[in-house]
Amino acid sequence: MRVAIIGGGVIGLTTAFALINKGHQVDLFEQHDAVGMATSFANGGQLSYRYVSPLADAGVPWQALGWMFKKDSPLRFRPRMSISQWHWCLDFLLACRASVNQTNTAHLLRLALHSQAVLHDWQARFGLKDFAWRANGKLVIYRDGSHFSHAASKITEPSSQKVLTARQCVNAEPSLVDLAPQLQGGIFSAGDEVGDCHLFCRQLLQQLNAHPHFRLHTSTSVQKLVVENGQVRGLVLNNDEVAVDHLVVAAGMGSLGLLNSVGVKVPLYPLKGYSLTLPVQDNASVPQTNVTDYDRKIVYARLGEQLRVAAMVDIGNASTELDAGRIASLRQQAQASFPRAGDYQQAEAWAGLRPTTPQGTPLLGKSGIKNLWLNLGHGSLGFTLACGSAASLANVIDNEPSEIALTGLQLSD
Ligand SMILES: Cc1cc2nc3c(=O)[nH]c(=O)nc-3n(C[C@H](O)[C@H](O)[C@H](O)COP(=O)(O)OP(=O)(O)OC[C@H]3O[C@@H](n4cnc5c(N)ncnc54)[C@H](O)[C@@H]3O)c2cc1C
């Protein structure tokens, strides 16, 4: 079968990889001149398989109100005269209930654990380890006692997650020594991993390029989809129409406009975030596990000889321009936590747009149009969820049962 994919981020590339390995012919269209240059470029690097709770949770709206008046707030909301923003925000507020959060966390956990299994299978069969990948575990640290007690109360034995005192956190991750007096405790997930998402995209491409049934079309922006009699007939590129048999939309935030124009409404909104990447200076002062500073919503990941620091959610700012104030605040907070890790003045700053649904769950599978398939809306977990989403979608396209239930992960749910 011939399948066209729009989007050369981690979602489009893993989809291409899954389809090629099932014997299909794949054409991948990417508007940039290289793959992995948009949101998949310098994200937090966390393969956070066991820590997947969506942003929408009970208490978050109140917390967000408090954050609005703080200069270094993890979440910033700019109201816009935009119906789509208010629609999304309303659905987000409706998802901010403990019961809804629990249900969506269960859907994400199922997909995340499947994703880990698929990545490990691909690594065993094809290598795919050369992207600063390590199985190093994740430690979520808490500065606020009530947040810590609440998180600890959710861990029920037997569990793969361990509740640690502040002292045990420092024993597990000695680079936390400077933070010790401010810590209430932490939760350690031994099974989580880390990697450089951009390098992963390039590794996937290298393997795909060696395949005779794969074709990459870079610097090729898809202008629109052509739908006739309830099925996709083609793509418009540079005002020319190219015929397609099957089409997967995996274009991150670009998916919204493409799908809207053929009447497929997806509840996507860009949640802007920032990262810093700095060369490691003092090995012992850099976290070896993935560290999430829960109260500041900052993640730290060691990627080879670099430290990646990622954070912040800006709602109502859909440009990828760097905001000097946000970058300075991130730099200052990271430096206060891991002062000797590296030279923060040399850090490379980056901003990206998380393609996010109100519930935090991605949209996989059917679109309502016969041969048009979706793989989008992975929000802050796209790297984590990519391999499982791709493998599941490839099964759906082949009309085979998915290895996991896709309930709660489809447009029709
Ligand atoms: C600050 C930050 C930190 C993050 N940290 C993590 C993390 O630690 N772990 C994790 O799992 N996830 C993380 N994420 C989320 C993750 O990066 C995203 O979910 C993921 O990159 C989305 O991948 P994608 O392929 O859907 O989108 P993208 O990477 O944006 O790819 C979409 C591609 O489609 C192309 N495209 C769009 N429109 C068209 C068109 N019309 N024609 C042709 N091409 C088109 C774009 O150019 C782009 O290359 C983070 C995100 C941010 C912003």
Side-chain angles (χ1 to χ4, degrees), residues 6-12 29-32 38-40 43-46 220-222 250-252 254 258 273-274 310-311 350 352-355 378-384:
I6 311 176
V10 71
I11 300 298
F29 298 90
E30 167 54 51
Q31 65 192 358
H32 289 292
T39 312
S40 304
N43 66 24
Q46 320 256 317
T220 306
S221 175
V222 176
L258 290 169
Y274 303 85
W350 172 83
L353 304 174
R354 305 172 181 92
H378 295 76
S380 52
L381 287 169
F383 186 26
T384 304

Side-chain angles (χ1 to χ4, degrees), residues 80-89:
R80 300 273 175 207
M81 295 293 283
S82 144
I83 293 178
S84 60
Q85 187 191 58
W86 289 101
H87 241 285
W88 191 91
C89 287

Side-chain angles (χ1 to χ4, degrees), residues 21 43 49 115 123 131-132 161 183 195 254 301 341 361 366 373 393 413:
N21 287 312
N43 66 24
Y49 297 118
S115 237
Q123 289 183 318
F131 58 102
Q161 296 183 306
L183 295 187
T361 43
K366 293 183 179 169
W373 309 95
L393 179 64
D413 292 333

